[in-house]
mmCIF file of all heavy atoms in Angstrom:
data_model
loop_
_atom_site.group_PDB
_atom_site.id
_atom_site.type_symbol
_atom_site.label_atom_id
_atom_site.label_comp_id
_atom_site.label_asym_id
_atom_site.label_seq_id
_atom_site.Cartn_x
_atom_site.Cartn_y
_atom_site.Cartn_z
ATOM 1 N N ARG A 196 -0.016 2.068 15.187
ATOM 2 C CA ARG A 196 -1.019 3.098 15.394
ATOM 3 C C ARG A 196 -2.106 2.695 16.384
ATOM 4 O O ARG A 196 -2.690 1.617 16.263
ATOM 5 C CB ARG A 196 -1.681 3.444 14.053
ATOM 6 C CG ARG A 196 -2.675 4.579 14.137
ATOM 7 C CD ARG A 196 -3.281 4.854 12.792
ATOM 8 N NE ARG A 196 -2.279 5.252 11.841
ATOM 9 C CZ ARG A 196 -2.504 5.299 10.525
ATOM 10 N NH1 ARG A 196 -3.659 4.963 10.047
ATOM 11 N NH2 ARG A 196 -1.553 5.661 9.710
ATOM 12 N N PRO A 197 -2.377 3.531 17.391
ATOM 13 C CA PRO A 197 -3.507 3.258 18.291
ATOM 14 C C PRO A 197 -4.810 3.300 17.523
ATOM 15 O O PRO A 197 -4.937 4.106 16.588
ATOM 16 C CB PRO A 197 -3.422 4.408 19.308
ATOM 17 C CG PRO A 197 -2.048 4.963 19.153
ATOM 18 C CD PRO A 197 -1.663 4.754 17.735
ATOM 19 N N PRO A 198 -5.837 2.487 17.834
ATOM 20 C CA PRO A 198 -5.809 1.483 18.930
ATOM 21 C C PRO A 198 -5.321 0.124 18.472
ATOM 22 O O PRO A 198 -5.286 -0.802 19.257
ATOM 23 C CB PRO A 198 -7.298 1.400 19.298
ATOM 24 C CG PRO A 198 -7.997 1.619 18.004
ATOM 25 C CD PRO A 198 -7.169 2.609 17.224
ATOM 26 N N TYR A 199 -4.954 -0.014 17.163
ATOM 27 C CA TYR A 199 -4.628 -1.344 16.640
ATOM 28 C C TYR A 199 -3.354 -1.890 17.258
ATOM 29 O O TYR A 199 -3.172 -3.091 17.354
ATOM 30 C CB TYR A 199 -4.503 -1.272 15.115
ATOM 31 C CG TYR A 199 -5.642 -0.533 14.481
ATOM 32 C CD1 TYR A 199 -5.464 0.727 13.911
ATOM 33 C CD2 TYR A 199 -6.920 -1.081 14.498
ATOM 34 C CE1 TYR A 199 -6.528 1.410 13.363
ATOM 35 C CE2 TYR A 199 -7.985 -0.396 13.944
ATOM 36 C CZ TYR A 199 -7.791 0.848 13.369
ATOM 37 O OH TYR A 199 -8.838 1.519 12.843
ATOM 38 N N ASN A 200 -2.445 -1.013 17.702
ATOM 39 C CA ASN A 200 -1.182 -1.496 18.268
ATOM 40 C C ASN A 200 -1.404 -2.210 19.604
ATOM 41 O O ASN A 200 -0.511 -2.895 20.087
ATOM 42 C CB ASN A 200 -0.172 -0.367 18.410
ATOM 43 C CG ASN A 200 -0.618 0.710 19.390
ATOM 44 O OD1 ASN A 200 -1.806 0.839 19.644
ATOM 45 N ND2 ASN A 200 0.312 1.443 19.926
ATOM 46 N N ILE A 201 -2.555 -2.061 20.218
ATOM 47 C CA ILE A 201 -2.857 -2.805 21.440
ATOM 48 C C ILE A 201 -2.979 -4.285 21.110
ATOM 49 O O ILE A 201 -2.438 -5.149 21.788
ATOM 50 C CB ILE A 201 -4.151 -2.277 22.080
ATOM 51 C CG1 ILE A 201 -3.958 -0.816 22.504
ATOM 52 C CG2 ILE A 201 -4.565 -3.127 23.263
ATOM 53 C CD1 ILE A 201 -5.214 -0.145 22.989
ATOM 54 N N LYS A 202 -3.662 -4.587 20.029
ATOM 55 C CA LYS A 202 -3.833 -5.982 19.607
ATOM 56 C C LYS A 202 -2.522 -6.565 19.055
ATOM 57 O O LYS A 202 -2.211 -7.735 19.276
ATOM 58 C CB LYS A 202 -4.941 -6.069 18.537
ATOM 59 C CG LYS A 202 -5.234 -7.486 18.075
ATOM 60 C CD LYS A 202 -6.425 -7.514 17.128
ATOM 61 C CE LYS A 202 -6.141 -6.805 15.836
ATOM 62 N NZ LYS A 202 -7.248 -6.955 14.864
ATOM 63 N N ASN A 203 -1.781 -5.763 18.318
ATOM 64 C CA ASN A 203 -0.566 -6.248 17.671
ATOM 65 C C ASN A 203 0.698 -5.816 18.421
ATOM 66 O O ASN A 203 1.744 -5.688 17.835
ATOM 67 C CB ASN A 203 -0.492 -5.687 16.236
ATOM 68 C CG ASN A 203 -1.543 -6.318 15.343
ATOM 69 O OD1 ASN A 203 -1.704 -7.526 15.350
ATOM 70 N ND2 ASN A 203 -2.264 -5.496 14.627
ATOM 71 N N TYR A 204 0.567 -5.566 19.711
ATOM 72 C CA TYR A 204 1.664 -4.955 20.473
ATOM 73 C C TYR A 204 2.950 -5.764 20.375
ATOM 74 O O TYR A 204 2.949 -6.986 20.532
ATOM 75 C CB TYR A 204 1.240 -4.812 21.927
ATOM 76 C CG TYR A 204 2.305 -4.164 22.787
ATOM 77 C CD1 TYR A 204 2.589 -2.802 22.647
ATOM 78 C CD2 TYR A 204 3.040 -4.920 23.683
ATOM 79 C CE1 TYR A 204 3.554 -2.210 23.425
ATOM 80 C CE2 TYR A 204 4.028 -4.315 24.461
ATOM 81 C CZ TYR A 204 4.287 -2.954 24.328
ATOM 82 O OH TYR A 204 5.264 -2.383 25.088
ATOM 83 N N VAL A 205 4.050 -5.073 20.115
ATOM 84 C CA VAL A 205 5.386 -5.712 20.110
ATOM 85 C C VAL A 205 6.282 -4.908 21.039
ATOM 86 O O VAL A 205 6.303 -3.672 21.002
ATOM 87 C CB VAL A 205 5.987 -5.767 18.690
ATOM 88 C CG1 VAL A 205 5.243 -6.782 17.831
ATOM 89 C CG2 VAL A 205 5.989 -4.410 18.016
ATOM 90 N N ASP A 206 7.001 -5.607 21.895
ATOM 91 C CA ASP A 206 7.819 -4.967 22.912
ATOM 92 C C ASP A 206 9.272 -4.870 22.453
ATOM 93 O O ASP A 206 10.173 -5.385 23.103
ATOM 94 C CB ASP A 206 7.722 -5.752 24.245
ATOM 95 C CG ASP A 206 8.354 -4.990 25.384
ATOM 96 O OD1 ASP A 206 8.496 -3.765 25.277
ATOM 97 O OD2 ASP A 206 8.721 -5.633 26.387
ATOM 98 N N PHE A 207 9.462 -4.245 21.294
ATOM 99 C CA PHE A 207 10.814 -4.015 20.800
ATOM 100 C C PHE A 207 10.764 -2.843 19.815
ATOM 101 O O PHE A 207 9.691 -2.367 19.458
ATOM 102 C CB PHE A 207 11.413 -5.270 20.138
ATOM 103 C CG PHE A 207 10.579 -5.868 19.022
ATOM 104 C CD1 PHE A 207 10.605 -5.347 17.735
ATOM 105 C CD2 PHE A 207 9.752 -6.966 19.271
ATOM 106 C CE1 PHE A 207 9.864 -5.902 16.717
ATOM 107 C CE2 PHE A 207 8.994 -7.525 18.248
ATOM 108 C CZ PHE A 207 9.044 -6.997 16.981
ATOM 109 N N ASP A 208 11.942 -2.405 19.397
ATOM 110 C CA ASP A 208 12.023 -1.273 18.480
ATOM 111 C C ASP A 208 11.712 -1.769 17.061
ATOM 112 O O ASP A 208 12.573 -2.283 16.360
ATOM 113 C CB ASP A 208 13.431 -0.674 18.537
ATOM 114 C CG ASP A 208 13.583 0.583 17.660
ATOM 115 O OD1 ASP A 208 12.547 1.051 17.120
ATOM 116 O OD2 ASP A 208 14.694 1.073 17.518
ATOM 117 N N LEU A 209 10.455 -1.591 16.657
ATOM 118 C CA LEU A 209 9.996 -2.039 15.335
ATOM 119 C C LEU A 209 10.149 -0.900 14.338
ATOM 120 O O LEU A 209 9.641 0.187 14.536
ATOM 121 C CB LEU A 209 8.519 -2.453 15.418
ATOM 122 C CG LEU A 209 7.827 -2.810 14.095
ATOM 123 C CD1 LEU A 209 8.427 -4.063 13.487
ATOM 124 C CD2 LEU A 209 6.335 -2.962 14.302
ATOM 125 N N GLN A 210 10.849 -1.170 13.245
ATOM 126 C CA GLN A 210 11.032 -0.195 12.175
ATOM 127 C C GLN A 210 10.796 -0.862 10.829
ATOM 128 O O GLN A 210 10.660 -2.093 10.753
ATOM 129 C CB GLN A 210 12.426 0.433 12.241
ATOM 130 C CG GLN A 210 12.683 1.240 13.503
ATOM 131 C CD GLN A 210 14.020 1.952 13.497
ATOM 132 O OE1 GLN A 210 14.588 2.233 12.442
ATOM 133 N NE2 GLN A 210 14.527 2.277 14.669
ATOM 134 N N CYS A 211 10.749 -0.057 9.767
ATOM 135 C CA CYS A 211 10.580 -0.631 8.440
ATOM 136 C C CYS A 211 11.796 -0.323 7.590
ATOM 137 O O CYS A 211 12.501 0.673 7.778
ATOM 138 C CB CYS A 211 9.309 -0.134 7.762
ATOM 139 S SG CYS A 211 9.356 1.528 7.075
ATOM 140 N N LEU A 212 12.054 -1.227 6.639
ATOM 141 C CA LEU A 212 13.159 -1.097 5.696
ATOM 142 C C LEU A 212 12.598 -1.312 4.289
ATOM 143 O O LEU A 212 11.495 -1.822 4.113
ATOM 144 C CB LEU A 212 14.235 -2.160 5.957
ATOM 145 C CG LEU A 212 14.876 -2.211 7.345
ATOM 146 C CD1 LEU A 212 15.682 -3.476 7.494
ATOM 147 C CD2 LEU A 212 15.743 -0.989 7.557
ATOM 148 N N THR A 213 13.369 -0.923 3.295
ATOM 149 C CA THR A 213 13.063 -1.345 1.940
ATOM 150 C C THR A 213 13.221 -2.858 1.869
ATOM 151 O O THR A 213 13.907 -3.461 2.698
ATOM 152 C CB THR A 213 14.030 -0.694 0.932
ATOM 153 O OG1 THR A 213 15.368 -1.060 1.293
ATOM 154 C CG2 THR A 213 13.888 0.813 0.916
ATOM 155 N N MET A 214 12.558 -3.480 0.905
ATOM 156 C CA MET A 214 12.825 -4.898 0.671
ATOM 157 C C MET A 214 14.221 -5.041 0.088
ATOM 158 O O MET A 214 14.663 -4.176 -0.689
ATOM 159 C CB MET A 214 11.778 -5.462 -0.323
ATOM 160 C CG MET A 214 10.402 -5.590 0.271
ATOM 161 S SD MET A 214 10.272 -6.767 1.631
ATOM 162 C CE MET A 214 10.439 -8.323 0.741
ATOM 163 N N PRO A 215 14.965 -6.087 0.463
ATOM 164 C CA PRO A 215 16.313 -6.254 -0.103
ATOM 165 C C PRO A 215 16.252 -6.409 -1.615
ATOM 166 O O PRO A 215 15.375 -7.097 -2.136
ATOM 167 C CB PRO A 215 16.827 -7.522 0.587
ATOM 168 C CG PRO A 215 15.616 -8.217 1.094
ATOM 169 C CD PRO A 215 14.605 -7.166 1.396
ATOM 170 N N GLY A 216 17.175 -5.734 -2.303
ATOM 171 C CA GLY A 216 17.103 -5.657 -3.763
ATOM 172 C C GLY A 216 18.008 -6.623 -4.482
ATOM 173 O O GLY A 216 18.649 -7.513 -3.894
ATOM 174 N N ASP A 217 18.082 -6.441 -5.762
ATOM 175 C CA ASP A 217 18.870 -7.275 -6.666
ATOM 176 C C ASP A 217 20.353 -7.203 -6.278
ATOM 177 O O ASP A 217 20.881 -6.114 -6.079
ATOM 178 C CB ASP A 217 18.678 -6.732 -8.089
ATOM 179 C CG ASP A 217 19.242 -7.659 -9.147
ATOM 180 O OD1 ASP A 217 20.325 -8.218 -8.930
ATOM 181 O OD2 ASP A 217 18.614 -7.801 -10.198
ATOM 182 N N PRO A 218 21.032 -8.355 -6.176
ATOM 183 C CA PRO A 218 22.468 -8.343 -5.863
ATOM 184 C C PRO A 218 23.308 -7.556 -6.867
ATOM 185 O O PRO A 218 24.403 -7.081 -6.528
ATOM 186 C CB PRO A 218 22.842 -9.824 -5.881
ATOM 187 C CG PRO A 218 21.577 -10.546 -5.593
ATOM 188 C CD PRO A 218 20.503 -9.729 -6.228
ATOM 189 N N ASP A 219 22.797 -7.367 -8.078
ATOM 190 C CA ASP A 219 23.547 -6.605 -9.083
ATOM 191 C C ASP A 219 23.430 -5.096 -8.852
ATOM 192 O O ASP A 219 24.026 -4.305 -9.579
ATOM 193 C CB ASP A 219 23.051 -6.927 -10.500
ATOM 194 C CG ASP A 219 23.451 -8.332 -10.914
ATOM 195 O OD1 ASP A 219 24.466 -8.828 -10.370
ATOM 196 O OD2 ASP A 219 22.782 -8.909 -11.782
ATOM 197 N N GLY A 220 22.626 -4.694 -7.866
ATOM 198 C CA GLY A 220 22.569 -3.287 -7.497
ATOM 199 C C GLY A 220 21.386 -2.522 -8.022
ATOM 200 O O GLY A 220 21.228 -1.353 -7.730
ATOM 201 N N GLN A 221 20.518 -3.152 -8.816
ATOM 202 C CA GLN A 221 19.343 -2.452 -9.343
ATOM 203 C C GLN A 221 18.155 -2.794 -8.454
ATOM 204 O O GLN A 221 17.581 -3.877 -8.530
ATOM 205 C CB GLN A 221 19.043 -2.843 -10.792
ATOM 206 C CG GLN A 221 17.867 -2.088 -11.375
ATOM 207 C CD GLN A 221 17.639 -2.407 -12.850
ATOM 208 O OE1 GLN A 221 18.511 -2.993 -13.486
ATOM 209 N NE2 GLN A 221 16.489 -2.025 -13.362
ATOM 210 N N TYR A 222 17.817 -1.850 -7.578
ATOM 211 C CA TYR A 222 16.732 -2.116 -6.642
ATOM 212 C C TYR A 222 15.394 -2.169 -7.368
ATOM 213 O O TYR A 222 15.105 -1.360 -8.250
ATOM 214 C CB TYR A 222 16.656 -1.037 -5.558
ATOM 215 C CG TYR A 222 15.497 -1.232 -4.609
ATOM 216 C CD1 TYR A 222 15.600 -2.112 -3.549
ATOM 217 C CD2 TYR A 222 14.300 -0.569 -4.792
ATOM 218 C CE1 TYR A 222 14.546 -2.322 -2.690
ATOM 219 C CE2 TYR A 222 13.223 -0.768 -3.951
ATOM 220 C CZ TYR A 222 13.351 -1.648 -2.883
ATOM 221 O OH TYR A 222 12.299 -1.850 -2.044
ATOM 222 N N CYS A 223 14.560 -3.124 -6.982
ATOM 223 C CA CYS A 223 13.206 -3.167 -7.523
ATOM 224 C C CYS A 223 12.307 -3.854 -6.514
ATOM 225 O O CYS A 223 12.696 -4.821 -5.898
ATOM 226 C CB CYS A 223 13.163 -3.899 -8.859
ATOM 227 S SG CYS A 223 11.563 -3.762 -9.671
ATOM 228 N N SER A 224 11.112 -3.322 -6.324
ATOM 229 C CA SER A 224 10.143 -3.919 -5.446
ATOM 230 C C SER A 224 8.790 -3.939 -6.152
ATOM 231 O O SER A 224 8.586 -3.181 -7.097
ATOM 232 C CB SER A 224 10.049 -3.125 -4.123
ATOM 233 O OG SER A 224 9.121 -3.727 -3.260
ATOM 234 N N VAL A 225 7.897 -4.791 -5.686
ATOM 235 C CA VAL A 225 6.569 -4.888 -6.273
ATOM 236 C C VAL A 225 5.572 -4.192 -5.364
ATOM 237 O O VAL A 225 5.594 -4.381 -4.145
ATOM 238 C CB VAL A 225 6.164 -6.368 -6.480
ATOM 239 C CG1 VAL A 225 4.709 -6.466 -6.925
ATOM 240 C CG2 VAL A 225 7.075 -7.026 -7.499
ATOM 241 N N THR A 226 4.717 -3.366 -5.924
ATOM 242 C CA THR A 226 3.707 -2.655 -5.153
ATOM 243 C C THR A 226 2.308 -3.045 -5.621
ATOM 244 O O THR A 226 2.069 -3.319 -6.779
ATOM 245 C CB THR A 226 3.870 -1.124 -5.323
ATOM 246 O OG1 THR A 226 4.003 -0.838 -6.718
ATOM 247 C CG2 THR A 226 5.097 -0.612 -4.588
ATOM 248 N N GLU A 227 1.368 -3.075 -4.664
ATOM 249 C CA GLU A 227 -0.024 -3.304 -4.992
ATOM 250 C C GLU A 227 -0.726 -1.965 -5.134
ATOM 251 O O GLU A 227 -0.398 -1.006 -4.437
ATOM 252 C CB GLU A 227 -0.705 -4.131 -3.910
ATOM 253 C CG GLU A 227 -0.246 -5.583 -3.861
ATOM 254 C CD GLU A 227 -1.091 -6.418 -2.895
ATOM 255 O OE1 GLU A 227 -2.109 -5.890 -2.387
ATOM 256 O OE2 GLU A 227 -0.712 -7.558 -2.667
ATOM 257 N N HIS A 228 -1.683 -1.915 -6.042
ATOM 258 C CA HIS A 228 -2.380 -0.641 -6.334
ATOM 259 C C HIS A 228 -3.884 -0.843 -6.374
ATOM 260 O O HIS A 228 -4.371 -1.837 -6.917
ATOM 261 C CB HIS A 228 -1.931 -0.079 -7.691
ATOM 262 C CG HIS A 228 -0.471 0.176 -7.783
ATOM 263 N ND1 HIS A 228 0.053 1.451 -7.767
ATOM 264 C CD2 HIS A 228 0.594 -0.659 -7.865
ATOM 265 C CE1 HIS A 228 1.377 1.388 -7.854
ATOM 266 N NE2 HIS A 228 1.730 0.127 -7.925
ATOM 267 N N THR A 229 -4.623 0.105 -5.818
ATOM 268 C CA THR A 229 -6.059 0.162 -6.111
ATOM 269 C C THR A 229 -6.271 1.320 -7.086
ATOM 270 O O THR A 229 -5.668 2.395 -6.943
ATOM 271 C CB THR A 229 -6.912 0.413 -4.824
ATOM 272 O OG1 THR A 229 -6.343 1.469 -4.067
ATOM 273 C CG2 THR A 229 -7.019 -0.831 -4.002
ATOM 274 N N LEU A 230 -7.161 1.086 -8.039
ATOM 275 C CA LEU A 230 -7.387 2.011 -9.133
ATOM 276 C C LEU A 230 -8.829 2.479 -9.123
ATOM 277 O O LEU A 230 -9.734 1.742 -8.742
ATOM 278 C CB LEU A 230 -7.085 1.328 -10.481
ATOM 279 C CG LEU A 230 -5.865 0.420 -10.568
ATOM 280 C CD1 LEU A 230 -5.791 -0.200 -11.949
ATOM 281 C CD2 LEU A 230 -4.599 1.182 -10.224
ATOM 282 N N LEU A 231 -9.047 3.683 -9.613
ATOM 283 C CA LEU A 231 -10.376 4.199 -9.875
ATOM 284 C C LEU A 231 -10.627 4.112 -11.361
ATOM 285 O O LEU A 231 -9.853 4.658 -12.155
ATOM 286 C CB LEU A 231 -10.491 5.643 -9.409
ATOM 287 C CG LEU A 231 -10.453 5.843 -7.894
ATOM 288 C CD1 LEU A 231 -9.982 7.257 -7.559
ATOM 289 C CD2 LEU A 231 -11.839 5.592 -7.296
ATOM 290 N N THR A 232 -11.660 3.406 -11.761
ATOM 291 C CA THR A 232 -11.928 3.223 -13.191
ATOM 292 C C THR A 232 -13.365 3.651 -13.507
ATOM 293 O O THR A 232 -14.211 3.750 -12.613
ATOM 294 C CB THR A 232 -11.739 1.740 -13.610
ATOM 295 O OG1 THR A 232 -12.641 0.913 -12.845
ATOM 296 C CG2 THR A 232 -10.320 1.294 -13.358
ATOM 297 N N MET A 233 -13.608 3.896 -14.779
ATOM 298 C CA MET A 233 -14.920 4.393 -15.236
ATOM 299 C C MET A 233 -15.527 3.366 -16.196
ATOM 300 O O MET A 233 -14.845 2.818 -17.059
ATOM 301 C CB MET A 233 -14.761 5.719 -15.952
ATOM 302 C CG MET A 233 -16.093 6.354 -16.361
ATOM 303 S SD MET A 233 -15.887 7.764 -17.522
ATOM 304 C CE MET A 233 -14.745 8.804 -16.617
ATOM 305 N N SER A 234 -16.829 3.146 -16.056
ATOM 306 C CA SER A 234 -17.540 2.262 -16.961
ATOM 307 C C SER A 234 -17.624 2.867 -18.362
ATOM 308 O O SER A 234 -17.812 4.073 -18.528
ATOM 309 C CB SER A 234 -18.940 1.993 -16.446
ATOM 310 O OG SER A 234 -19.729 1.348 -17.458
ATOM 311 N N ARG A 235 -17.466 2.010 -19.356
ATOM 312 C CA ARG A 235 -17.652 2.455 -20.737
ATOM 313 C C ARG A 235 -19.082 2.982 -20.962
ATOM 314 O O ARG A 235 -19.326 3.813 -21.829
ATOM 315 C CB ARG A 235 -17.374 1.301 -21.693
ATOM 316 C CG ARG A 235 -17.431 1.638 -23.164
ATOM 317 C CD ARG A 235 -17.124 0.429 -24.026
ATOM 318 N NE ARG A 235 -15.740 0.056 -23.943
ATOM 319 C CZ ARG A 235 -14.773 0.526 -24.732
ATOM 320 N NH1 ARG A 235 -15.065 1.441 -25.657
ATOM 321 N NH2 ARG A 235 -13.533 0.114 -24.611
ATOM 322 N N ASN A 236 -20.011 2.495 -20.137
ATOM 323 C CA ASN A 236 -21.417 2.890 -20.313
ATOM 324 C C ASN A 236 -21.833 4.031 -19.400
ATOM 325 O O ASN A 236 -23.034 4.328 -19.301
ATOM 326 C CB ASN A 236 -22.320 1.679 -20.034
ATOM 327 C CG ASN A 236 -22.086 0.556 -21.040
ATOM 328 O OD1 ASN A 236 -21.827 0.805 -22.209
ATOM 329 N ND2 ASN A 236 -22.164 -0.682 -20.563
ATOM 330 N N ALA A 237 -20.882 4.673 -18.717
ATOM 331 C CA ALA A 237 -21.238 5.781 -17.833
ATOM 332 C C ALA A 237 -21.946 6.881 -18.631
ATOM 333 O O ALA A 237 -21.473 7.306 -19.671
ATOM 334 C CB ALA A 237 -19.981 6.332 -17.165
ATOM 335 N N LYS A 238 -23.073 7.353 -18.109
ATOM 336 C CA LYS A 238 -23.871 8.361 -18.823
ATOM 337 C C LYS A 238 -23.226 9.735 -18.702
ATOM 338 O O LYS A 238 -23.168 10.495 -19.686
ATOM 339 C CB LYS A 238 -25.285 8.378 -18.278
ATOM 340 C CG LYS A 238 -26.217 9.346 -18.976
ATOM 341 C CD LYS A 238 -27.631 9.293 -18.420
ATOM 342 C CE LYS A 238 -28.550 10.283 -19.104
ATOM 343 N NZ LYS A 238 -29.927 10.272 -18.535
ATOM 344 N N HIS A 239 -22.776 10.079 -17.498
ATOM 345 C CA HIS A 239 -22.187 11.401 -17.264
ATOM 346 C C HIS A 239 -20.676 11.231 -17.076
ATOM 347 O O HIS A 239 -20.167 11.256 -15.946
ATOM 348 C CB HIS A 239 -22.816 12.057 -16.037
ATOM 349 C CG HIS A 239 -24.306 12.180 -16.123
ATOM 350 N ND1 HIS A 239 -24.925 13.038 -16.997
ATOM 351 C CD2 HIS A 239 -25.290 11.550 -15.445
ATOM 352 C CE1 HIS A 239 -26.239 12.960 -16.851
ATOM 353 N NE2 HIS A 239 -26.481 12.061 -15.906
ATOM 354 N N LYS A 240 -19.969 11.074 -18.175
ATOM 355 C CA LYS A 240 -18.556 10.733 -18.101
ATOM 356 C C LYS A 240 -17.705 11.846 -17.500
ATOM 357 O O LYS A 240 -16.775 11.595 -16.739
ATOM 358 C CB LYS A 240 -18.036 10.352 -19.496
ATOM 359 C CG LYS A 240 -18.552 8.994 -19.985
ATOM 360 C CD LYS A 240 -17.916 8.608 -21.309
ATOM 361 C CE LYS A 240 -18.206 7.161 -21.692
ATOM 362 N NZ LYS A 240 -19.628 6.856 -21.816
ATOM 363 N N GLN A 241 -18.000 13.087 -17.807
ATOM 364 C CA GLN A 241 -17.213 14.198 -17.249
ATOM 365 C C GLN A 241 -17.416 14.280 -15.743
ATOM 366 O O GLN A 241 -16.465 14.506 -14.982
ATOM 367 C CB GLN A 241 -17.601 15.516 -17.907
ATOM 368 C CG GLN A 241 -16.729 16.699 -17.461
ATOM 369 C CD GLN A 241 -15.253 16.520 -17.841
ATOM 370 O OE1 GLN A 241 -14.915 16.285 -18.998
ATOM 371 N NE2 GLN A 241 -14.361 16.671 -16.864
ATOM 372 N N VAL A 242 -18.657 14.075 -15.302
ATOM 373 C CA VAL A 242 -18.941 14.096 -13.847
ATOM 374 C C VAL A 242 -18.202 12.934 -13.171
ATOM 375 O O VAL A 242 -17.586 13.117 -12.112
ATOM 376 C CB VAL A 242 -20.453 13.979 -13.607
ATOM 377 C CG1 VAL A 242 -20.742 13.865 -12.106
ATOM 378 C CG2 VAL A 242 -21.182 15.166 -14.184
ATOM 379 N N ALA A 243 -18.246 11.761 -13.798
ATOM 380 C CA ALA A 243 -17.553 10.603 -13.226
ATOM 381 C C ALA A 243 -16.055 10.848 -13.144
ATOM 382 O O ALA A 243 -15.423 10.544 -12.122
ATOM 383 C CB ALA A 243 -17.852 9.360 -14.084
#
């Protein structure tokens, strides 16, 4: 994505694939997640 690809420019056909899976045929990959959480002490819980 411009403009970041100027710094990370690669002069070849770059594509993405799934991560290679289990040889037994059950694909599984690990994903990172950011979560939205609420404080137990929040005063306006419905608003939050």
Side-chain angles (χ1 to χ4, degrees):
R196 184 180 298 167
Y199 313 109
N200 63 338
I201 297 173
K202 182 174 66 174
N203 291 312
Y204 181 71
V205 289
D206 190 21
F207 55 81
D208 184 8
L209 174 66
Q210 296 185 24
C211 77
L212 303 168
T213 58
M214 290 295 288
D217 191 320
D219 290 335
Q221 182 176 347
Y222 176 82
C223 189
S224 181
V225 173
T226 48
E227 290 188 8
H228 300 253
T229 47
L230 319 177
L231 291 156
T232 60
M233 184 192 306
S234 168
R235 184 180 289 271
N236 297 324
K238 182 178 179 182
H239 304 291
K240 288 185 169 60
Q241 185 62 53
V242 175

